[in-house]
Amino acid sequence: MTKNPIYCAIDTSSIDDAEKIINQIAPHIGGIKLGLEFFTSCGIKGIEQIERYDLPLFLDFKLYDIPNTVKKSLQNILSYNPTYTTLHVSGGSNMLKECVDLKKELNSNTNLIGVTMLTSFDDDSINEIGISGTVNENVKNLSALALDCGMDGIVCSPMEIRNVRETFGSKLKVIVPGIRNQTKNNDDQKRTLSAKKAIEFGADIIVVGRPITSAEEPGKAAEIFHQSIK
Ligand code: C5P
């Protein structure tokens, strides 16, 4: 494996904390994922600060709104040239297609990634919000829609990687959070697996947050994750 597929989710509300962690883990990760917690506290300035580390950036805002609002927001996000950014596939085909068209118009290299089912959901909790069928079935349907609309890839849990790969081959990049090497603490994640298994099953990128950022020694934890997939 040449490129390090580990993107660390820097979910913190403080730029100082973020930088402290990044300084320790930078040699052991392939990229940095910044999401809503970081953005709603550190803002654009925070993103610009983290850009200086020269690591590939994944801006994970999981956009979900009417097509016009999503398209305009995506235009702002693309100005930062992230390697990856996310939209909810359940925003529908109009929303997704407008975003794919915008990407083409701007000649952007950013990978547009569709979130299928959050890894904090399981079969019971999706039924609770009126979605029928299993998580696996829904991930497959939403992945098909993402591909149809010209998206570059999808996010799913480690449990669905094989299903997505069997159905779509390498037509979609597969990005996988919910990574836990030890099963004793899953936090709020319901569908988890180890980094090694996720890569074996065919994930292109694995997102690891708290198992690295909340570790006593984040640098050591990141190194162990990296070693575990070599
Ligand atoms: O700390 P942990 O490893 O659980 O972090 C997972 C990260 O992946 C979080 O930043 C979360 O927002 C993100 N994510 C997820 N499930 C998805 C999409 C993204 O957990 N379906």
Side-chain angles (χ1 to χ4, degrees):
M1 183 174 298
T2 45
K3 257 194 180 169
N4 184 341
I6 301 173
Y7 273 60
C8 185
I10 304 292
D11 294 325
T12 156
S13 302
S14 142
I15 186 79
D16 288 347
D17 288 351
E19 293 207 70
K20 226 178 273 165
I21 295 169
I22 295 168
N23 282 322
Q24 295 175 63
I25 67 175
H28 310 295
I29 58 170
I32 294 173
K33 185 178 90 72
L34 300 174
L36 288 173
E37 181 182 346
F38 180 85
F39 183 66
T40 51
S41 58
C42 306
I44 295 295
K45 278 206 178 111
I47 295 178
E48 287 167 351
Q49 184 93 358
I50 302 302
E51 265 185 328
R52 294 190 198 146
Y53 286 86
D54 229 12
L55 279 161
L57 215 54
F58 178 172
L59 294 181
D60 180 25
F61 300 137
K62 302 187 179 67
L63 302 180
Y64 180 90
D65 209 315
I66 59 171
N68 184 57
T69 305
V70 169
K71 184 180 168 179
K72 296 276 167 60
S73 312
L74 180 66
Q75 184 154 5
N76 296 333
I77 292 169
L78 293 184
S79 70
Y80 291 94
N81 275 323
T83 305
Y84 299 100
T85 197
T86 47
L87 323 163
H88 271 285
V89 181
S90 51
S93 58
N94 285 346
M95 189 196 96
L96 299 176
K97 281 181 187 160
E98 289 225 12
C99 291
V100 170
D101 288 347
L102 175 73
K103 170 183 159 161
K104 285 186 193 145
E105 219 174 275
L106 298 175
N107 230 341
S108 163
N109 288 324
T110 297
N111 289 285
L112 298 183
I113 304 297
V115 177
T116 56
M117 301 257 84
L118 295 172
T119 39
S120 50
F121 275 129
D122 58 16
D123 288 347
D124 290 337
S125 47
I126 61 164
N127 295 161
E128 182 188 272
I129 57 161
I131 298 175
S132 56
T134 62
V135 166
N136 229 317
E137 287 160 358
N138 279 282
V139 167
K140 202 160 155 179
N141 292 341
L142 291 165
S143 299
L145 181 60
L147 182 62
D148 206 41
C149 293
M151 299 281 285
D152 300 296
I154 58 109
V155 182
C156 66
S157 93
M159 305 300 186
E160 295 98 38
I161 305 171
R162 279 183 298 186
N163 194 11
V164 170
R165 279 275 177 247
E166 271 164 30
T167 315
F168 305 102
S170 55
K171 290 183 195 145
L172 287 167
K173 295 194 169 73
V174 180
I175 298 194
V176 179
I179 301 297
R180 293 293 182 272
N181 278 358
Q182 277 144 11
T183 47
K184 60 178 191 278
N185 180 11
N186 287 347
D187 301 304
D188 50 358
Q189 300 284 17
K190 296 225 168 94
R191 309 190 323 275
T192 64
L193 219 59
S194 72
K196 190 176 166 56
K197 274 267 171 283
I199 295 293
E200 268 171 28
F201 287 170
D204 292 297
I205 296 292
I206 53 173
V207 172
V208 187
R210 289 162 290 183
I212 291 177
T213 57
S214 303
E216 243 165 67
E217 293 179 78
K220 190 95 209 130
E223 190 181 356
I224 292 170
F225 263 100
H226 194 199
Q227 288 296 340
S228 77
I229 55 170
K230 272 183 177 170

